[in-house]
Amino acid sequence: MANLKAIRDRIQSVKNTKKITEAMRLVAAAKVRRAQAQVLGTRPFADRLAQVLFGLQTRLRFEDVDLPLLKQREVSTVGLLVVTGDRGLCGGYNNNIIKRAEARIKEIQAEGFDYKLVIVGRKANQYFSRRNCPIDASYIGLEQIPTAKEASEIADEVLSLFLSESVDRVELIYTKFVSLISSKPVVQTLLPLDRQGLEVPDDEVFRLTSKGGSFDVQREKVASTAAPEAFPRDMIFEQDPAQILEALLPLYLNNQLLRALQEAAASELAARMTAMNNASENASELMETLTLTYNKARQAAITQEILEVVGGAAGMQR
């Protein structure tokens, strides 16, 4: 009977664990929807900014504009902005981005360059701090759903490093959202800004839906609300277009960084949803196995009791 009680206790423990993992999965799903709403909310500003940049690009030859954010310098030090999460229980999300950052660091050192780190997320901060890596700044405890204010603070730090020539190039290492079960660590050059392609192409939106009783993500192309158009030739600027461009480029950088943080947050939440869903399924399978074991043990105990009663009755008859 003691064995039966131990099995019952374990079944109850697994049930309680399943309730927790299922609750965490639903919380992650709700936050994915919030991330989606935020992407849609920031799109009008990004579209308008793209329009203005496209118009300026038609009026100016960027190659002839001497702006600090467009200036290509000889590289001696590379700044790496690494984006991870503050919490675990999200599968291999944090581990994959840390491995990608380590691989990039080795590539930079193999080329004979130095590097500096700007860390977003507690996991990367703990990992690289233990290894005495050169961390210039770290940001932990940020909102689960990134905000424009947080992106602006991080962008200011990156701009400060680049404009002070502490670093000659800034690269962003983050996780690109692909689907609920797939994400991809990528490396993107933030600074200096590319002179070509500053206009923003059609965006992609992920929509969280339910299909067959389970969550599903659909990606779809969403055209800009207003297609970029060249400024009229008779338009008169109160300021020099180069000065306007110099003021808008930091906004463009903020927008790029915010989009990357949103992608990383969606990837982390999707990874947590998948991990918790797998944990719930494993708990269900374990409960079935334990229930079967319990029934077999209970049946064996009943059979043993019956044999003892039969044996005792036969002994009395003798």
Side-chain angles (χ1 to χ4, degrees), residues 7 28 33 63 70 73 89 100 123 169 173 178 181 194 197 234 239 242 259 273-274 276 285 288 314:
I7 296 176
R33 288 191 178 96
E63 292 78 2
L70 298 175
R73 298 198 298 258
L89 298 178
R100 185 67 184 89
K123 293 297 182 179
R169 187 171 73 227
I173 303 178
V178 179
I181 59 175
D194 187 4
D234 58 351
Q239 290 179 294
R259 175 60 191 270
M273 279 182 58
T274 302
M276 294 301 100
E285 294 177 1
E288 292 178 1

mmCIF file of all heavy atoms in Angstrom, residues 7 28 33 63 70 73 89 100 123 169 173 178 181 194 197 234 239 242 259 273-274 276 285 288 314:
data_model
loop_
_atom_site.group_PDB
_atom_site.id
_atom_site.type_symbol
_atom_site.label_atom_id
_atom_site.label_comp_id
_atom_site.label_asym_id
_atom_site.label_seq_id
_atom_site.Cartn_x
_atom_site.Cartn_y
_atom_site.Cartn_z
ATOM 1 N N ILE A 7 2.796 6.417 -5.571
ATOM 2 C CA ILE A 7 2.402 6.645 -6.969
ATOM 3 C C ILE A 7 1.306 7.700 -7.033
ATOM 4 O O ILE A 7 1.320 8.579 -7.910
ATOM 5 C CB ILE A 7 1.939 5.324 -7.621
ATOM 6 C CG1 ILE A 7 3.093 4.321 -7.687
ATOM 7 C CG2 ILE A 7 1.400 5.587 -9.025
ATOM 8 C CD1 ILE A 7 2.698 2.960 -8.218
ATOM 9 N N ALA A 28 2.062 33.513 -22.060
ATOM 10 C CA ALA A 28 2.938 33.822 -23.193
ATOM 11 C C ALA A 28 2.121 34.113 -24.450
ATOM 12 O O ALA A 28 2.452 35.015 -25.226
ATOM 13 C CB ALA A 28 3.906 32.669 -23.439
ATOM 14 N N ARG A 33 0.151 38.332 -28.441
ATOM 15 C CA ARG A 33 -0.868 39.191 -29.045
ATOM 16 C C ARG A 33 -0.564 40.665 -28.784
ATOM 17 O O ARG A 33 -0.768 41.522 -29.644
ATOM 18 C CB ARG A 33 -2.245 38.832 -28.479
ATOM 19 C CG ARG A 33 -2.798 37.495 -28.973
ATOM 20 C CD ARG A 33 -4.265 37.353 -28.593
ATOM 21 N NE ARG A 33 -4.828 36.118 -29.093
ATOM 22 C CZ ARG A 33 -4.937 35.008 -28.392
ATOM 23 N NH1 ARG A 33 -4.496 34.982 -27.141
ATOM 24 N NH2 ARG A 33 -5.464 33.925 -28.908
ATOM 25 N N GLU A 63 26.091 59.945 -51.212
ATOM 26 C CA GLU A 63 27.541 59.814 -51.284
ATOM 27 C C GLU A 63 28.234 61.160 -51.086
ATOM 28 O O GLU A 63 29.388 61.228 -50.671
ATOM 29 C CB GLU A 63 27.959 59.207 -52.627
ATOM 30 C CG GLU A 63 27.549 57.745 -52.817
ATOM 31 C CD GLU A 63 26.085 57.581 -53.177
ATOM 32 O OE1 GLU A 63 25.387 58.605 -53.312
ATOM 33 O OE2 GLU A 63 25.624 56.433 -53.294
ATOM 34 N N LEU A 70 26.660 58.134 -41.492
ATOM 35 C CA LEU A 70 26.869 57.493 -42.796
ATOM 36 C C LEU A 70 28.350 57.283 -43.115
ATOM 37 O O LEU A 70 28.676 56.672 -44.132
ATOM 38 C CB LEU A 70 26.239 58.345 -43.900
ATOM 39 C CG LEU A 70 24.725 58.557 -43.836
ATOM 40 C CD1 LEU A 70 24.286 59.525 -44.918
ATOM 41 C CD2 LEU A 70 23.985 57.236 -43.956
ATOM 42 N N ARG A 73 34.376 54.177 -41.601
ATOM 43 C CA ARG A 73 35.709 54.333 -41.025
ATOM 44 C C ARG A 73 36.468 53.022 -41.083
ATOM 45 O O ARG A 73 35.877 51.941 -41.195
ATOM 46 C CB ARG A 73 35.601 54.787 -39.554
ATOM 47 C CG ARG A 73 34.939 56.117 -39.364
ATOM 48 C CD ARG A 73 35.259 56.675 -37.986
ATOM 49 N NE ARG A 73 34.770 55.831 -36.905
ATOM 50 C CZ ARG A 73 33.669 56.099 -36.196
ATOM 51 N NH1 ARG A 73 32.941 57.174 -36.478
ATOM 52 N NH2 ARG A 73 33.300 55.303 -35.218
ATOM 53 N N LEU A 89 13.155 29.141 -19.042
ATOM 54 C CA LEU A 89 11.955 28.367 -19.383
ATOM 55 C C LEU A 89 11.444 28.710 -20.774
ATOM 56 O O LEU A 89 10.240 28.816 -21.011
ATOM 57 C CB LEU A 89 10.846 28.578 -18.349
ATOM 58 C CG LEU A 89 11.148 28.127 -16.916
ATOM 59 C CD1 LEU A 89 9.981 28.452 -15.990
ATOM 60 C CD2 LEU A 89 11.469 26.654 -16.854
ATOM 61 N N ARG A 100 25.598 32.300 -30.882
ATOM 62 C CA ARG A 100 25.824 33.101 -32.090
ATOM 63 C C ARG A 100 26.735 34.283 -31.776
ATOM 64 O O ARG A 100 27.605 34.647 -32.584
ATOM 65 C CB ARG A 100 24.478 33.597 -32.644
ATOM 66 C CG ARG A 100 24.627 34.350 -33.971
ATOM 67 C CD ARG A 100 25.080 33.383 -35.053
ATOM 68 N NE ARG A 100 25.320 34.046 -36.315
ATOM 69 C CZ ARG A 100 26.491 34.571 -36.681
ATOM 70 N NH1 ARG A 100 27.529 34.516 -35.849
ATOM 71 N NH2 ARG A 100 26.635 35.128 -37.858
ATOM 72 N N LYS A 123 20.248 37.143 -18.983
ATOM 73 C CA LYS A 123 20.943 35.893 -19.297
ATOM 74 C C LYS A 123 22.297 36.146 -19.953
ATOM 75 O O LYS A 123 23.311 35.559 -19.561
ATOM 76 C CB LYS A 123 20.063 35.014 -20.197
ATOM 77 C CG LYS A 123 18.809 34.479 -19.525
ATOM 78 C CD LYS A 123 19.166 33.575 -18.365
ATOM 79 C CE LYS A 123 17.923 32.993 -17.706
ATOM 80 N NZ LYS A 123 18.248 32.094 -16.574
ATOM 81 N N ARG A 169 32.246 50.224 -35.782
ATOM 82 C CA ARG A 169 31.095 49.570 -36.397
ATOM 83 C C ARG A 169 30.263 48.968 -35.275
ATOM 84 O O ARG A 169 30.812 48.480 -34.294
ATOM 85 C CB ARG A 169 31.518 48.494 -37.389
ATOM 86 C CG ARG A 169 30.339 47.915 -38.181
ATOM 87 C CD ARG A 169 30.791 47.007 -39.313
ATOM 88 N NE ARG A 169 31.297 45.737 -38.833
ATOM 89 C CZ ARG A 169 32.426 45.170 -39.237
ATOM 90 N NH1 ARG A 169 33.189 45.785 -40.126
ATOM 91 N NH2 ARG A 169 32.811 44.001 -38.773
ATOM 92 N N ILE A 173 22.969 41.627 -32.676
ATOM 93 C CA ILE A 173 22.754 40.174 -32.685
ATOM 94 C C ILE A 173 21.462 39.908 -31.929
ATOM 95 O O ILE A 173 21.382 40.129 -30.716
ATOM 96 C CB ILE A 173 23.935 39.430 -32.031
ATOM 97 C CG1 ILE A 173 25.241 39.789 -32.731
ATOM 98 C CG2 ILE A 173 23.705 37.927 -32.079
ATOM 99 C CD1 ILE A 173 26.469 39.131 -32.111
ATOM 100 N N VAL A 178 10.360 33.758 -36.759
ATOM 101 C CA VAL A 178 9.943 33.064 -37.977
ATOM 102 C C VAL A 178 8.560 32.455 -37.782
ATOM 103 O O VAL A 178 7.642 32.706 -38.549
ATOM 104 C CB VAL A 178 10.960 31.967 -38.365
ATOM 105 C CG1 VAL A 178 10.494 31.235 -39.619
ATOM 106 C CG2 VAL A 178 12.334 32.585 -38.600
ATOM 107 N N ILE A 181 7.433 27.773 -33.771
ATOM 108 C CA ILE A 181 8.375 26.686 -33.520
ATOM 109 C C ILE A 181 9.729 26.939 -34.167
ATOM 110 O O ILE A 181 10.581 26.059 -34.167
ATOM 111 C CB ILE A 181 7.804 25.338 -34.023
ATOM 112 C CG1 ILE A 181 7.506 25.409 -35.521
ATOM 113 C CG2 ILE A 181 6.562 24.959 -33.246
ATOM 114 C CD1 ILE A 181 7.058 24.092 -36.127
ATOM 115 N N ASP A 194 23.513 52.130 -43.823
ATOM 116 C CA ASP A 194 23.701 51.867 -45.240
ATOM 117 C C ASP A 194 23.169 53.051 -46.038
ATOM 118 O O ASP A 194 22.054 53.520 -45.824
ATOM 119 C CB ASP A 194 22.957 50.583 -45.633
ATOM 120 C CG ASP A 194 23.263 50.167 -47.052
ATOM 121 O OD1 ASP A 194 24.104 50.824 -47.691
ATOM 122 O OD2 ASP A 194 22.653 49.186 -47.520
ATOM 123 N N GLY A 197 18.991 51.851 -49.619
ATOM 124 C CA GLY A 197 17.943 51.060 -49.010
ATOM 125 C C GLY A 197 17.459 51.570 -47.680
ATOM 126 O O GLY A 197 16.986 50.806 -46.847
ATOM 127 N N ASP A 234 9.387 71.758 -56.845
ATOM 128 C CA ASP A 234 9.314 73.159 -56.422
ATOM 129 C C ASP A 234 9.214 73.292 -54.903
ATOM 130 O O ASP A 234 8.992 74.391 -54.393
ATOM 131 C CB ASP A 234 8.127 73.852 -57.089
ATOM 132 C CG ASP A 234 6.799 73.152 -56.778
ATOM 133 O OD1 ASP A 234 6.836 72.049 -56.188
ATOM 134 O OD2 ASP A 234 5.746 73.705 -57.125
ATOM 135 N N GLN A 239 15.187 74.502 -44.000
ATOM 136 C CA GLN A 239 16.531 74.123 -43.583
ATOM 137 C C GLN A 239 17.208 73.379 -44.722
ATOM 138 O O GLN A 239 16.559 72.896 -45.657
ATOM 139 C CB GLN A 239 16.485 73.217 -42.346
ATOM 140 C CG GLN A 239 16.056 73.915 -41.066
ATOM 141 C CD GLN A 239 16.010 72.948 -39.908
ATOM 142 O OE1 GLN A 239 15.203 72.035 -39.874
ATOM 143 N NE2 GLN A 239 16.907 73.136 -38.956
ATOM 144 N N ALA A 242 20.334 68.408 -45.933
ATOM 145 C CA ALA A 242 21.327 67.593 -45.225
ATOM 146 C C ALA A 242 21.123 67.676 -43.715
ATOM 147 O O ALA A 242 21.295 66.678 -42.998
ATOM 148 C CB ALA A 242 22.735 68.044 -45.593
ATOM 149 N N ARG A 259 12.194 47.651 -33.834
ATOM 150 C CA ARG A 259 11.687 46.508 -34.596
ATOM 151 C C ARG A 259 12.450 45.231 -34.223
ATOM 152 O O ARG A 259 11.860 44.163 -34.054
ATOM 153 C CB ARG A 259 11.812 46.778 -36.093
ATOM 154 C CG ARG A 259 11.433 45.597 -36.978
ATOM 155 C CD ARG A 259 9.995 45.170 -36.740
ATOM 156 N NE ARG A 259 9.721 43.899 -37.384
ATOM 157 C CZ ARG A 259 9.281 43.768 -38.625
ATOM 158 N NH1 ARG A 259 9.098 44.839 -39.376
ATOM 159 N NH2 ARG A 259 9.024 42.577 -39.118
ATOM 160 N N MET A 273 6.142 29.596 -25.199
ATOM 161 C CA MET A 273 4.890 28.892 -25.480
ATOM 162 C C MET A 273 5.156 27.458 -25.899
ATOM 163 O O MET A 273 4.522 26.518 -25.418
ATOM 164 C CB MET A 273 4.117 29.611 -26.595
ATOM 165 C CG MET A 273 3.319 30.806 -26.170
ATOM 166 S SD MET A 273 2.421 31.526 -27.570
ATOM 167 C CE MET A 273 1.447 30.124 -28.102
ATOM 168 N N THR A 274 6.110 27.285 -26.803
ATOM 169 C CA THR A 274 6.430 25.944 -27.288
ATOM 170 C C THR A 274 6.982 25.071 -26.172
ATOM 171 O O THR A 274 6.607 23.899 -26.029
ATOM 172 C CB THR A 274 7.449 26.033 -28.436
ATOM 173 O OG1 THR A 274 6.913 26.841 -29.485
ATOM 174 C CG2 THR A 274 7.763 24.658 -28.989
ATOM 175 N N MET A 276 6.532 25.367 -22.900
ATOM 176 C CA MET A 276 5.489 25.036 -21.930
ATOM 177 C C MET A 276 4.466 24.066 -22.513
ATOM 178 O O MET A 276 3.925 23.218 -21.801
ATOM 179 C CB MET A 276 4.790 26.312 -21.455
ATOM 180 C CG MET A 276 5.687 27.252 -20.648
ATOM 181 S SD MET A 276 6.368 26.494 -19.149
ATOM 182 C CE MET A 276 8.036 26.066 -19.700
ATOM 183 N N GLU A 285 1.571 12.626 -20.740
ATOM 184 C CA GLU A 285 2.074 11.271 -21.010
ATOM 185 C C GLU A 285 2.561 10.597 -19.732
ATOM 186 O O GLU A 285 2.319 9.404 -19.509
ATOM 187 C CB GLU A 285 3.206 11.341 -22.039
ATOM 188 C CG GLU A 285 2.758 11.800 -23.420
ATOM 189 C CD GLU A 285 3.924 11.926 -24.377
ATOM 190 O OE1 GLU A 285 5.075 11.629 -23.957
ATOM 191 O OE2 GLU A 285 3.694 12.303 -25.537
ATOM 192 N N GLU A 288 -0.395 9.411 -17.701
ATOM 193 C CA GLU A 288 -0.954 8.172 -18.237
ATOM 194 C C GLU A 288 -0.113 6.967 -17.829
ATOM 195 O O GLU A 288 -0.651 5.919 -17.433
ATOM 196 C CB GLU A 288 -1.048 8.261 -19.759
ATOM 197 C CG GLU A 288 -2.065 9.266 -20.266
ATOM 198 C CD GLU A 288 -2.078 9.339 -21.782
ATOM 199 O OE1 GLU A 288 -1.309 8.583 -22.413
ATOM 200 O OE2 GLU A 288 -2.856 10.147 -22.326
ATOM 201 N N ALA A 314 -9.097 -21.957 3.144
ATOM 202 C CA ALA A 314 -8.755 -23.382 2.903
ATOM 203 C C ALA A 314 -8.079 -23.984 4.138
ATOM 204 O O ALA A 314 -8.303 -25.147 4.507
ATOM 205 C CB ALA A 314 -7.812 -23.487 1.704
#
